[in-house]
Amino acid sequence: MADKEATVYIVDVGLSMGEKHNGRKESDLEWAMNYVWDKITSTVATGRKTATVGVIGLRTDGMRRLSAQA
């Protein structure tokens, strides 16, 4: 049986991620998403069917609805 690999990226998509830091011209969210997209593309390019990737968003609109119901 082949070894399986799972990678999960957790991305903060809150309002503060819209700010720009460290002299960049892109927001922190854009920078993070470029990084995640580059990593996902590299994983897909390997062509291995045993590699899986997931992305979880924190501070999303859905999370606000869930916390309001609590």
Side-chain angles (χ1 to χ4, degrees):
M1 178 181 254
D3 290 331
K4 295 184 179 185
E5 176 184 320
T7 305
V8 178
Y9 297 97
I10 301 173
V11 180
D12 180 358
V13 296
L15 286 176
S16 63
M17 290 294 286
E19 298 172 6
K20 300 174 183 176
H21 292 100
N22 301 320
R24 290 190 300 261
K25 294 184 180 183
E26 59 188 355
S27 70
D28 294 344
L29 180 59
E30 291 170 321
W31 186 89
M33 291 309 301
N34 284 333
Y35 174 84
V36 169
W37 183 251
D38 183 53
K39 293 297 185 180
I40 291 172
T41 303
S42 297
T43 301
V44 171
T46 65
R48 295 180 322 187
K49 295 184 183 207
T50 58
T52 57
V53 176
V55 179
I56 297 173
L58 299 180
R59 297 199 298 165
T60 65
D61 289 339
M63 290 181 75
R64 280 191 212 98
R65 283 193 292 274
L66 288 174
S67 64
Q69 293 173 357

